[in-house]
Amino acid sequence: MSIKGQYKLDSKEIRVYKKEDSCVFKKNSEEFGGLSNMATGFPLLVNGIKIRTAEALYQACRFPHLPDIQQKIIEQNSPMTVKMISNSNKKNSRADWDSIRLKVMKWCISVKLAQNFVLFGAVLHETGLKSIVENSTKDNYWGAIPNEDSSIFTGKNALGRLLMDLRQAFYSKNNFLLLHVEPIKIENFLLYSEPIGIIDERQNFINYLKNFWSITYNKDFNITTQMEIINAEEKEPFYVTKESKMNDGVENNNYETTKKTYQKRLSKKEKANKDSQPNLFNQI
């Protein structure tokens, strides 16, 4: 299939993907449709404003100087209508849009994950280690264009590659850092004339887990700290005495000494763990 009329890409930017080795997404209703910016079911909240899709958020960022157009975009129920409104106002896009749009897209999908960490995280997880490819018949920049039998996709696939970068971060040991998203350091990063702030979903995620386990076990759920577990393990049940311990053929007169030695070792272990384990939230 010819890509005449599409973006003129440098050969270094072009990627070729085999369908059999890729997770290809196009329509929201199809497999991996949740990867699309047009996918509903992943609500966003930026500066206290509810936004239905990542597509609406991305397109609104085109027009920080035109809050009326931003509002019109965000109020739409249909992501297709969002795109149509944006396209009809393209000539009014911020002057530096082409140079910052990759940064904006990366920020948008990062917000999508932070605010839908379990649901969207599951969608990313289902892709395994395969290439993520947006199937597009028109856009060889954000997506990749299929050949006649849709077995090969060719294009820059910028959105797919950003999603693969996000997936790699989600698979890392520091994935909870993704719950905290800084605003892009660009001029006029605004929504309804207000600077876009930090997206911090850490406490919301903790609340989600507490509610999940509370509902699962049908009772109030309280987080028990590791120290409380250790302290509980140190306490002998009231019915356990020195005399009642199992006689395994070894003299029991060293029981108290053994217990003190164990407690001393445990104390050293606790101190070592405390010194060696960084506080995750202090790193954010």
Side-chain angles (χ1 to χ4, degrees), residues 25-73:
F25 67 93
K26 185 176 179 66
K27 296 181 179 179
N28 299 348
S29 58
E30 296 176 347
E31 187 178 17
F32 307 117
L35 295 168
S36 171
N37 285 343
M38 310 279 276
T40 56
F42 304 96
L44 310 174
L45 186 70
V46 179
N47 284 12
I49 298 166
K50 294 180 180 180
I51 303 174
R52 291 180 176 86
T53 62
E55 183 67 24
L57 179 58
Y58 172 76
Q59 298 297 348
C61 288
R62 275 182 178 267
F63 311 102
H65 54 300
L66 298 170
D68 290 344
I69 293 181
Q70 285 187 324
Q71 184 174 0
K72 189 175 181 181
I73 286 172

Short mmCIF file of all heavy atoms in Angstrom, two decimals, residues 25-73:
data_model
loop_
_atom_site.label_atom_id
_atom_site.label_comp_id
_atom_site.label_asym_id
_atom_site.label_seq_id
_atom_site.Cartn_x
_atom_site.Cartn_y
_atom_site.Cartn_z
N PHE A 25 -3.47 -2.56 17.49
CA PHE A 25 -4.76 -2.02 17.93
C PHE A 25 -5.28 -0.99 16.94
O PHE A 25 -4.52 -0.29 16.28
CB PHE A 25 -4.66 -1.41 19.33
CG PHE A 25 -3.81 -0.17 19.43
CD1 PHE A 25 -4.37 1.10 19.32
CD2 PHE A 25 -2.44 -0.26 19.65
CE1 PHE A 25 -3.60 2.24 19.42
CE2 PHE A 25 -1.65 0.89 19.74
CZ PHE A 25 -2.24 2.14 19.63
N LYS A 26 -6.60 -0.94 16.82
CA LYS A 26 -7.25 0.02 15.93
C LYS A 26 -8.58 0.45 16.54
O LYS A 26 -8.71 1.53 17.08
CB LYS A 26 -7.46 -0.58 14.53
CG LYS A 26 -8.02 0.41 13.51
CD LYS A 26 -8.09 -0.23 12.13
CE LYS A 26 -8.68 0.74 11.10
NZ LYS A 26 -7.79 1.90 10.86
N LYS A 27 -9.59 -0.44 16.47
CA LYS A 27 -10.91 -0.12 17.01
C LYS A 27 -10.97 -0.43 18.50
O LYS A 27 -10.37 -1.40 18.97
CB LYS A 27 -11.99 -0.90 16.27
CG LYS A 27 -12.12 -0.54 14.80
CD LYS A 27 -13.22 -1.35 14.14
CE LYS A 27 -13.36 -0.99 12.66
NZ LYS A 27 -14.42 -1.79 12.01
N ASN A 28 -11.74 0.39 19.23
CA ASN A 28 -11.84 0.21 20.68
C ASN A 28 -12.42 -1.15 21.06
O ASN A 28 -12.07 -1.70 22.10
CB ASN A 28 -12.72 1.31 21.29
CG ASN A 28 -12.15 2.69 21.06
OD1 ASN A 28 -11.00 2.84 20.64
ND2 ASN A 28 -12.94 3.70 21.32
N SER A 29 -13.31 -1.67 20.22
CA SER A 29 -13.99 -2.93 20.52
C SER A 29 -13.14 -4.16 20.25
O SER A 29 -13.50 -5.26 20.67
CB SER A 29 -15.30 -3.01 19.72
OG SER A 29 -15.02 -2.93 18.32
N GLU A 30 -12.03 -3.97 19.55
CA GLU A 30 -11.18 -5.11 19.20
C GLU A 30 -10.17 -5.40 20.29
O GLU A 30 -10.01 -4.63 21.24
CB GLU A 30 -10.46 -4.81 17.88
CG GLU A 30 -11.39 -4.67 16.69
CD GLU A 30 -10.65 -4.29 15.41
OE1 GLU A 30 -9.46 -3.91 15.50
OE2 GLU A 30 -11.26 -4.39 14.34
N GLU A 31 -9.47 -6.51 20.15
CA GLU A 31 -8.43 -6.87 21.11
C GLU A 31 -7.38 -5.77 21.17
O GLU A 31 -7.00 -5.21 20.15
CB GLU A 31 -7.77 -8.19 20.72
CG GLU A 31 -6.80 -8.73 21.75
CD GLU A 31 -6.19 -10.05 21.35
OE1 GLU A 31 -6.27 -10.40 20.16
OE2 GLU A 31 -5.62 -10.73 22.24
N PHE A 32 -6.97 -5.43 22.36
CA PHE A 32 -5.99 -4.37 22.63
C PHE A 32 -6.53 -2.97 22.32
O PHE A 32 -5.77 -2.01 22.24
CB PHE A 32 -4.68 -4.61 21.87
CG PHE A 32 -4.07 -5.96 22.09
CD1 PHE A 32 -3.93 -6.85 21.04
CD2 PHE A 32 -3.66 -6.35 23.36
CE1 PHE A 32 -3.37 -8.11 21.25
CE2 PHE A 32 -3.09 -7.60 23.57
CZ PHE A 32 -2.96 -8.48 22.52
N GLY A 33 -7.86 -2.86 22.14
CA GLY A 33 -8.47 -1.56 21.87
C GLY A 33 -8.26 -0.56 22.99
O GLY A 33 -8.29 0.65 22.76
N GLY A 34 -8.04 -1.05 24.21
CA GLY A 34 -7.82 -0.16 25.34
C GLY A 34 -6.54 0.65 25.23
O GLY A 34 -6.37 1.64 25.93
N LEU A 35 -5.64 0.24 24.33
CA LEU A 35 -4.40 0.97 24.13
C LEU A 35 -4.63 2.27 23.37
O LEU A 35 -3.80 3.19 23.42
CB LEU A 35 -3.40 0.11 23.35
CG LEU A 35 -2.89 -1.16 24.05
CD1 LEU A 35 -2.16 -2.05 23.07
CD2 LEU A 35 -1.99 -0.80 25.22
N SER A 36 -5.75 2.36 22.66
CA SER A 36 -6.05 3.54 21.86
C SER A 36 -6.39 4.73 22.74
O SER A 36 -7.03 4.59 23.78
CB SER A 36 -7.23 3.24 20.93
OG SER A 36 -7.67 4.42 20.29
N ASN A 37 -5.99 5.91 22.30
CA ASN A 37 -6.37 7.13 23.01
C ASN A 37 -7.87 7.38 22.92
O ASN A 37 -8.43 8.14 23.72
CB ASN A 37 -5.62 8.34 22.43
CG ASN A 37 -4.18 8.38 22.86
OD1 ASN A 37 -3.77 7.71 23.81
ND2 ASN A 37 -3.38 9.15 22.15
N MET A 38 -8.51 6.77 21.95
CA MET A 38 -9.95 6.94 21.76
C MET A 38 -10.76 6.04 22.70
O MET A 38 -11.97 6.19 22.79
CB MET A 38 -10.31 6.60 20.31
CG MET A 38 -9.46 7.27 19.26
SD MET A 38 -9.97 8.95 18.93
CE MET A 38 -11.26 8.65 17.75
N ALA A 39 -10.10 5.13 23.37
CA ALA A 39 -10.80 4.17 24.22
C ALA A 39 -11.47 4.85 25.41
O ALA A 39 -10.86 5.66 26.10
CB ALA A 39 -9.83 3.10 24.71
N THR A 40 -12.73 4.53 25.62
CA THR A 40 -13.44 5.01 26.80
C THR A 40 -13.22 4.02 27.95
O THR A 40 -12.65 2.95 27.76
CB THR A 40 -14.95 5.13 26.50
OG1 THR A 40 -15.44 3.86 26.03
CG2 THR A 40 -15.19 6.18 25.42
N GLY A 41 -13.64 4.39 29.13
CA GLY A 41 -13.46 3.51 30.28
C GLY A 41 -12.20 3.79 31.07
O GLY A 41 -11.90 3.09 32.03
N PHE A 42 -11.47 4.83 30.66
CA PHE A 42 -10.26 5.23 31.39
C PHE A 42 -10.36 6.73 31.69
O PHE A 42 -9.66 7.55 31.10
CB PHE A 42 -9.00 4.95 30.55
CG PHE A 42 -8.88 3.51 30.11
CD1 PHE A 42 -9.32 3.12 28.85
CD2 PHE A 42 -8.34 2.55 30.96
CE1 PHE A 42 -9.22 1.80 28.44
CE2 PHE A 42 -8.24 1.23 30.56
CZ PHE A 42 -8.67 0.84 29.30
N PRO A 43 -11.26 7.09 32.60
CA PRO A 43 -11.51 8.52 32.87
C PRO A 43 -10.31 9.22 33.49
O PRO A 43 -9.51 8.62 34.20
CB PRO A 43 -12.68 8.47 33.87
CG PRO A 43 -12.56 7.13 34.54
CD PRO A 43 -12.05 6.21 33.47
N LEU A 44 -10.20 10.51 33.19
CA LEU A 44 -9.08 11.32 33.66
C LEU A 44 -9.60 12.52 34.44
O LEU A 44 -10.74 12.94 34.27
CB LEU A 44 -8.25 11.80 32.46
CG LEU A 44 -7.81 10.72 31.46
CD1 LEU A 44 -7.13 11.35 30.26
CD2 LEU A 44 -6.91 9.70 32.13
N LEU A 45 -8.73 13.03 35.29
CA LEU A 45 -9.06 14.22 36.08
C LEU A 45 -7.83 15.10 36.14
O LEU A 45 -6.84 14.74 36.77
CB LEU A 45 -9.51 13.82 37.49
CG LEU A 45 -10.03 14.95 38.39
CD1 LEU A 45 -11.37 15.46 37.87
CD2 LEU A 45 -10.18 14.46 39.83
N VAL A 46 -7.90 16.26 35.48
CA VAL A 46 -6.76 17.18 35.42
C VAL A 46 -7.22 18.55 35.90
O VAL A 46 -8.19 19.10 35.38
CB VAL A 46 -6.20 17.28 33.98
CG1 VAL A 46 -5.04 18.26 33.93
CG2 VAL A 46 -5.76 15.90 33.49
N ASN A 47 -6.54 19.08 36.89
CA ASN A 47 -6.92 20.36 37.48
C ASN A 47 -8.38 20.37 37.94
O ASN A 47 -9.08 21.38 37.86
CB ASN A 47 -6.70 21.51 36.49
CG ASN A 47 -5.24 21.88 36.34
OD1 ASN A 47 -4.36 21.16 36.79
ND2 ASN A 47 -4.97 23.01 35.71
N GLY A 48 -8.85 19.20 38.39
CA GLY A 48 -10.22 19.09 38.87
C GLY A 48 -11.25 18.98 37.76
O GLY A 48 -12.46 18.95 38.04
N ILE A 49 -10.80 18.88 36.50
CA ILE A 49 -11.71 18.81 35.35
C ILE A 49 -11.78 17.37 34.85
O ILE A 49 -10.75 16.75 34.57
CB ILE A 49 -11.22 19.74 34.22
CG1 ILE A 49 -11.21 21.19 34.71
CG2 ILE A 49 -12.09 19.59 32.97
CD1 ILE A 49 -10.45 22.13 33.82
N LYS A 50 -12.99 16.84 34.74
CA LYS A 50 -13.18 15.47 34.27
C LYS A 50 -13.05 15.42 32.75
O LYS A 50 -13.65 16.21 32.04
CB LYS A 50 -14.57 14.97 34.69
CG LYS A 50 -14.74 14.83 36.20
CD LYS A 50 -16.13 14.33 36.54
CE LYS A 50 -16.30 14.21 38.06
NZ LYS A 50 -17.66 13.73 38.43
N ILE A 51 -12.25 14.46 32.30
CA ILE A 51 -11.98 14.30 30.88
C ILE A 51 -12.19 12.83 30.53
O ILE A 51 -11.66 11.94 31.19
CB ILE A 51 -10.55 14.74 30.53
CG1 ILE A 51 -10.34 16.21 30.99
CG2 ILE A 51 -10.28 14.60 29.04
CD1 ILE A 51 -8.93 16.71 30.83
N ARG A 52 -12.97 12.57 29.47
CA ARG A 52 -13.41 11.20 29.19
C ARG A 52 -12.33 10.31 28.60
O ARG A 52 -12.29 9.11 28.88
CB ARG A 52 -14.62 11.23 28.26
CG ARG A 52 -15.89 11.78 28.92
CD ARG A 52 -17.06 11.78 27.94
NE ARG A 52 -18.28 12.21 28.60
CZ ARG A 52 -18.64 13.50 28.74
NH1 ARG A 52 -17.85 14.45 28.27
NH2 ARG A 52 -19.77 13.80 29.35
N THR A 53 -11.47 10.87 27.77
CA THR A 53 -10.47 10.04 27.08
C THR A 53 -9.12 10.75 27.00
O THR A 53 -9.04 11.98 27.09
CB THR A 53 -10.91 9.71 25.64
OG1 THR A 53 -11.02 10.93 24.89
CG2 THR A 53 -12.25 8.97 25.62
N ALA A 54 -8.09 9.96 26.76
CA ALA A 54 -6.76 10.52 26.55
C ALA A 54 -6.72 11.35 25.27
O ALA A 54 -5.96 12.31 25.15
CB ALA A 54 -5.73 9.40 26.48
N GLU A 55 -7.57 10.98 24.30
CA GLU A 55 -7.64 11.74 23.04
C GLU A 55 -8.13 13.17 23.30
O GLU A 55 -7.58 14.13 22.76
CB GLU A 55 -8.58 11.04 22.05
CG GLU A 55 -8.67 11.71 20.69
CD GLU A 55 -7.38 11.64 19.90
OE1 GLU A 55 -6.57 10.72 20.15
OE2 GLU A 55 -7.18 12.49 19.01
N ALA A 56 -9.15 13.30 24.13
CA ALA A 56 -9.68 14.63 24.46
C ALA A 56 -8.62 15.46 25.18
O ALA A 56 -8.48 16.67 24.91
CB ALA A 56 -10.93 14.50 25.30
N LEU A 57 -7.88 14.84 26.08
CA LEU A 57 -6.83 15.56 26.80
C LEU A 57 -5.74 16.01 25.85
O LEU A 57 -5.29 17.16 25.89
CB LEU A 57 -6.25 14.66 27.89
CG LEU A 57 -5.12 15.25 28.74
CD1 LEU A 57 -5.56 16.53 29.43
CD2 LEU A 57 -4.62 14.24 29.76
N TYR A 58 -5.32 15.11 24.97
CA TYR A 58 -4.25 15.43 24.01
C TYR A 58 -4.68 16.57 23.09
O TYR A 58 -3.93 17.54 22.89
CB TYR A 58 -3.91 14.19 23.20
CG TYR A 58 -2.96 14.44 22.06
CD1 TYR A 58 -1.59 14.63 22.28
CD2 TYR A 58 -3.43 14.51 20.74
CE1 TYR A 58 -0.72 14.87 21.22
CE2 TYR A 58 -2.57 14.76 19.68
CZ TYR A 58 -1.22 14.94 19.93
OH TYR A 58 -0.36 15.19 18.88
N GLN A 59 -5.87 16.48 22.53
CA GLN A 59 -6.34 17.50 21.60
C GLN A 59 -6.56 18.84 22.30
O GLN A 59 -6.29 19.91 21.72
CB GLN A 59 -7.62 17.05 20.90
CG GLN A 59 -7.48 15.80 20.04
CD GLN A 59 -6.50 15.97 18.88
OE1 GLN A 59 -6.07 17.07 18.54
NE2 GLN A 59 -6.14 14.85 18.25
N ALA A 60 -7.00 18.82 23.55
CA ALA A 60 -7.18 20.07 24.29
C ALA A 60 -5.86 20.79 24.49
O ALA A 60 -5.81 22.03 24.54
CB ALA A 60 -7.84 19.78 25.64
N CYS A 61 -4.79 20.01 24.60
CA CYS A 61 -3.46 20.62 24.81
C CYS A 61 -2.97 21.38 23.58
O CYS A 61 -2.01 22.15 23.68
CB CYS A 61 -2.45 19.54 25.18
SG CYS A 61 -2.67 18.88 26.84
N ARG A 62 -3.61 21.20 22.43
CA ARG A 62 -3.28 21.97 21.23
C ARG A 62 -3.61 23.46 21.39
O ARG A 62 -3.02 24.32 20.74
CB ARG A 62 -4.11 21.47 20.04
CG ARG A 62 -3.57 20.31 19.29
CD ARG A 62 -4.53 20.03 18.12
NE ARG A 62 -4.08 18.96 17.29
CZ ARG A 62 -3.33 19.09 16.19
NH1 ARG A 62 -2.94 20.30 15.83
NH2 ARG A 62 -2.99 18.05 15.48
N PHE A 63 -4.61 23.74 22.24
CA PHE A 63 -5.20 25.07 22.26
C PHE A 63 -5.18 25.71 23.65
O PHE A 63 -6.23 26.11 24.16
CB PHE A 63 -6.64 24.99 21.74
CG PHE A 63 -6.80 24.23 20.46
CD1 PHE A 63 -7.28 22.92 20.46
CD2 PHE A 63 -6.46 24.81 19.25
CE1 PHE A 63 -7.42 22.21 19.26
CE2 PHE A 63 -6.59 24.11 18.05
CZ PHE A 63 -7.07 22.81 18.06
N PRO A 64 -4.01 25.83 24.28
CA PRO A 64 -3.97 26.43 25.62
C PRO A 64 -4.39 27.90 25.62
O PRO A 64 -4.85 28.42 26.63
CB PRO A 64 -2.50 26.28 26.01
CG PRO A 64 -1.76 26.24 24.71
CD PRO A 64 -2.66 25.50 23.77
N HIS A 65 -4.25 28.55 24.47
CA HIS A 65 -4.58 29.96 24.32
C HIS A 65 -6.05 30.16 23.94
O HIS A 65 -6.52 31.30 23.83
CB HIS A 65 -3.70 30.59 23.25
CG HIS A 65 -3.74 29.86 21.94
ND1 HIS A 65 -3.38 28.55 21.81
CD2 HIS A 65 -4.12 30.27 20.69
CE1 HIS A 65 -3.51 28.16 20.55
NE2 HIS A 65 -3.97 29.20 19.85
N LEU A 66 -6.78 29.05 23.74
CA LEU A 66 -8.19 29.11 23.34
C LEU A 66 -9.02 28.22 24.26
O LEU A 66 -9.45 27.11 23.88
CB LEU A 66 -8.34 28.66 21.88
CG LEU A 66 -7.61 29.52 20.83
CD1 LEU A 66 -7.63 28.85 19.48
CD2 LEU A 66 -8.24 30.91 20.76
N PRO A 67 -9.27 28.66 25.48
CA PRO A 67 -10.01 27.84 26.46
C PRO A 67 -11.41 27.45 26.00
O PRO A 67 -11.93 26.41 26.41
CB PRO A 67 -10.03 28.70 27.72
CG PRO A 67 -9.75 30.09 27.25
CD PRO A 67 -8.86 29.94 26.07
N ASP A 68 -12.02 28.26 25.14
CA ASP A 68 -13.36 27.92 24.65
C ASP A 68 -13.32 26.66 23.79
O ASP A 68 -14.22 25.81 23.87
CB ASP A 68 -13.94 29.09 23.84
CG ASP A 68 -14.30 30.28 24.71
OD1 ASP A 68 -14.39 30.10 25.95
OD2 ASP A 68 -14.47 31.39 24.16
N ILE A 69 -12.28 26.55 22.96
CA ILE A 69 -12.14 25.35 22.14
C ILE A 69 -11.79 24.16 23.03
O ILE A 69 -12.30 23.04 22.82
CB ILE A 69 -11.05 25.55 21.06
CG1 ILE A 69 -11.52 26.60 20.05
CG2 ILE A 69 -10.75 24.23 20.35
CD1 ILE A 69 -10.53 26.87 18.93
N GLN A 70 -10.95 24.37 24.02
CA GLN A 70 -10.64 23.29 24.98
C GLN A 70 -11.91 22.76 25.62
O GLN A 70 -12.12 21.55 25.72
CB GLN A 70 -9.69 23.81 26.06
CG GLN A 70 -8.25 23.98 25.61
CD GLN A 70 -7.34 24.32 26.77
OE1 GLN A 70 -7.72 25.03 27.69
NE2 GLN A 70 -6.11 23.81 26.73
N GLN A 71 -12.75 23.67 26.06
CA GLN A 71 -14.00 23.26 26.72
C GLN A 71 -14.91 22.50 25.77
O GLN A 71 -15.51 21.49 26.14
CB GLN A 71 -14.73 24.48 27.26
CG GLN A 71 -15.99 24.12 28.05
CD GLN A 71 -16.62 25.34 28.71
OE1 GLN A 71 -16.12 26.46 28.59
NE2 GLN A 71 -17.72 25.12 29.42
N LYS A 72 -14.99 22.97 24.52
CA LYS A 72 -15.83 22.30 23.52
C LYS A 72 -15.33 20.88 23.28
O LYS A 72 -16.13 19.94 23.15
CB LYS A 72 -15.81 23.10 22.22
CG LYS A 72 -16.82 22.62 21.19
CD LYS A 72 -16.84 23.55 19.98
CE LYS A 72 -17.86 23.09 18.96
NZ LYS A 72 -17.88 23.97 17.76
N ILE A 73 -14.01 20.71 23.23
CA ILE A 73 -13.41 19.39 23.05
C ILE A 73 -13.72 18.48 24.23
O ILE A 73 -14.14 17.33 24.07
CB ILE A 73 -11.88 19.52 22.85
CG1 ILE A 73 -11.58 20.08 21.46
CG2 ILE A 73 -11.18 18.18 23.05
CD1 ILE A 73 -10.12 20.42 21.24
#
